[in-house]
Amino acid sequence: MEKNGAHSFLSDTPVTSLTMSVPVLRHPHVYHAFISYCADADTSHARTILDSVESRGFTCCFAERDFLPGECTSDVVVDAIHCSKNVILVISPASLQSEWSKFEMLMAVDDSHQRNNVCLVPVLLGGVKVDDLPPPLRPLTCIELMDDFRNTDDIIQAISKPEDTWESLLPVGNLAHGFAWGYYYGYLKIILPDLDKTVRQWRRVNNAEGRMSEKLFLFFPQSCRCRDSIADESSLIKHRGHLPIITKDRAGIIERQYKNTIYSVTDDNGEDYFFAGEYIGVIHTMFEMEQNATTGLQTREKYVQSMRFYLTLKRILDTDPECSKKCKIVFYKDVNNSSDAMPKLICNEIKNQLRKESSDDTTVCMTPFNSPFPSISSPDFARCSLKSPSSTNMVKSEPNIYREESGKTKSVERG
Amino acid sequence: MEKNGAHSFLSDTPVTSLTMSVPVLRHPHVYHAFISYCADADTSHARTILDSVESRGFTCCFAERDFLPGECTSDVVVDAIHCSKNVILVISPASLQSEWSKFEMLMAVDDSHQRNNVCLVPVLLGGVKVDDLPPPLRPLTCIELMDDFRNTDDIIQAISKPEDTWESLLPVGNLAHGFAWGYYYGYLKIILPDLDKTVRQWRRVNNAEGRMSEKLFLFFPQSCRCRDSIADESSLIKHRGHLPIITKDRAGIIERQYKNTIYSVTDDNGEDYFFAGEYIGVIHTMFEMEQNATTGLQTREKYVQSMRFYLTLKRILDTDPECSKKCKIVFYKDVNNSSDAMPKLICNEIKNQLRKESSDDTTVCMTPFNSPFPSISSPDFARCSLKSPSSTNMVKSEPNIYREESGKTKSVERG
């Protein structure tokens, strides 16, 4: 099998069954692996993997068997992932289109970053290749499952190996936390506190009431490439001035200036809307590093770093509503975009925010709408923020799976 | 023994001798440990540690025995550290005053960060406490050696344990690489290229020839606390204006401004000197994080993070003479400083640079003069930059230590 750059476990000759010791589970883990799969298309494949893994003494969490009917909500998935030592991601063409599967992938990646442990095992079905995967999964060691399942030992080996930190995948060193904390303390905490007031003022003076959100839009292109001006994205976007400049002595620079730019964008009906916006400038560093071979930052690694930055910044902003209420991170896929993609994206964002601001919906909701897995748009995720699992209410107690004779399992007791 | 916050291996009751397996050495390691000690005061203690460790099957590099007479130069130490799996730092009141010992500590910390492996074992003698150590060593697991040496097994245990990354000491996540790369690409690469020209111009116009270096001084206080203005440090320092403002569209901010401030400083003879200077603003984030309990950044961890940032930024600047020639990182101890410490420090730096600039000494020399181990001032280090060891010329071949009958060892063969 042609090596596609990713280190793939797939060996040409089937691996003779290895005697692998079953690792001891420690709190909070009660499962060796959570198996994430697309229920509509891949249940039978997933079941075969489940049987193969559990026949070797491992314990898995399997939604069809271990979730109570009707209980398959986002919180339950977050808890299941949190209680599992690894996550086996069964990825097929169908799951790459399924909103729910992409949501589970995002939660698994988030939990893995929080633990700082690369505990994700992508298992590829139906011809899916590494480059088809959402970027943050591409650097991982993937297993392309053979049609006759004869390489399931690769999965068992993957969930038996010692823990590994994300740093081990980041030859350049972890950039995320420095970027995120530096951006928050060195910039957002300075410009955001009064931003809504200055936007309201600009809006009034420039007759833009009802056509301008109070928030600062922070654009996060997936490639991390920030243009000099957002107007460079499309002729439908124009530079319209800036908010009052904040001047401040900071770290030895006297009267340092902080400036936020105003743009207009024309929608499909020829109507102009306005927004205070900029790219998250610090991510451009990753794009510049990728262009400079001496830094050694590979495209694959850039996706992991930018994902970690995205999750870290969100977690920091979650702790500071004063700031998070006044900005909106807009993550978008900017590769091979049509020229009107950006104006459409911005108009949608403005209209979304205007609806919320008019209904005075103050819940701080960092929905994964525009998450790094673009086009998760199902309303079902609207309330699910990237919170760390507050309680392991789903599987507090030892899982007590009672296998009925018919082989259909039903979890009898769930704390 | 009262726990001083640092996890100390010191057990109250002597540890019964443990059977510890001797780890296999892999390239480039040919020693299990390099023993760094102050030759003037601590050779006998160091020899006892050497005998105790080697009696258990470990191989050590010991300067008195393994360096050829007269060969104890900085390069040889850097190579010895590089070829050793661990570094045992024998630290006494004397070694804390010895320039050479501090240099060896700095090289050991630098190599450890490069490997991203916490392979340093501080062994404290003569009542030295953790808080007496240079800050970057404080978070490490230290061993307070008992007068009767009965806890040397703690040392053996420390050099036998599996490798550990610096991330494991950084609960907040590694900040250094993000800060360093972001600061370099997002700021220094924008402001430094033409800075010398604009300084020369300012110097001419303001009659400051011979009293102003062409370089931008980047101040790096050990506490990471950056004041709003450098003039806040002392009445002998005054704000005198700024270099021409650089205006640039960047990441969606139109006509963003980059401003560098000019100060004057009066020396002991009442003479005014001038400098373009500022703090490395991004490190102030670590000070703010330390003040905010929710971030969880401890003082001890801040020192490790700032040290990593310092080493990473130096390494990045080493690759870009265009930038490194035009700035000078001035690291200084700012805790309990007398009020005239800063003016003295700055005057020395300006006069130093003026001497170099007049002798057109263009060697890019990032000497550890003002390294995180302040007051390494011996000229012997002038030429030693924090380069990664180019060759292992000192110990290319397997060490072949021939013990003479008299117990005095002499290395017979060194490749």
Side-chain angles (χ1 to χ4, degrees), chain A residues 167 172 174-175 177-179 181 185 227-229 250-252 254-255 257 259 261 263 279 288-289 292, chain B residues 167 172 174-175 177-179 181 185 227-229 250-252 254-255 257 259 261 263 279 288-289 292:
Chain A
E167 270 69 34
V172 175
N174 168 48
L175 304 174
H177 297 86
F179 282 168
W181 286 105
Y185 270 109
R227 296 170 187 258
D228 290 342
S229 165
R250 167 115 177 152
I254 305 301
E255 293 175 0
Q257 294 203 345
K259 199 175 184 180
T261 303
Y263 293 90
Y279 301 94
E288 292 178 296
M289 289 174 73
N292 175 353
Chain B
E167 269 70 33
V172 176
N174 169 47
L175 304 173
H177 296 87
F179 281 168
W181 286 105
Y185 270 109
R227 297 170 186 258
D228 290 342
S229 165
R250 168 118 176 150
I254 305 302
E255 293 174 3
Q257 294 202 344
K259 198 174 183 181
T261 302
Y263 293 90
Y279 300 95
E288 291 177 295
M289 288 173 74
N292 175 352

Side-chain angles (χ1 to χ4, degrees), chain B residues 137-168:
Chain B
L137 298 181
R138 290 183 201 161
L140 298 175
T141 304
C142 302
I143 297 162
E144 295 189 27
L145 199 60
M146 293 184 178
D147 296 341
D148 59 6
F149 294 92
R150 68 178 194 272
N151 61 338
T152 48
D153 269 357
D154 292 345
I155 302 174
I156 290 163
Q157 199 171 5
I159 64 172
S160 322
K161 68 174 177 45
E163 298 204 353
D164 209 356
T165 64
W166 278 95
E167 269 70 33
S168 61

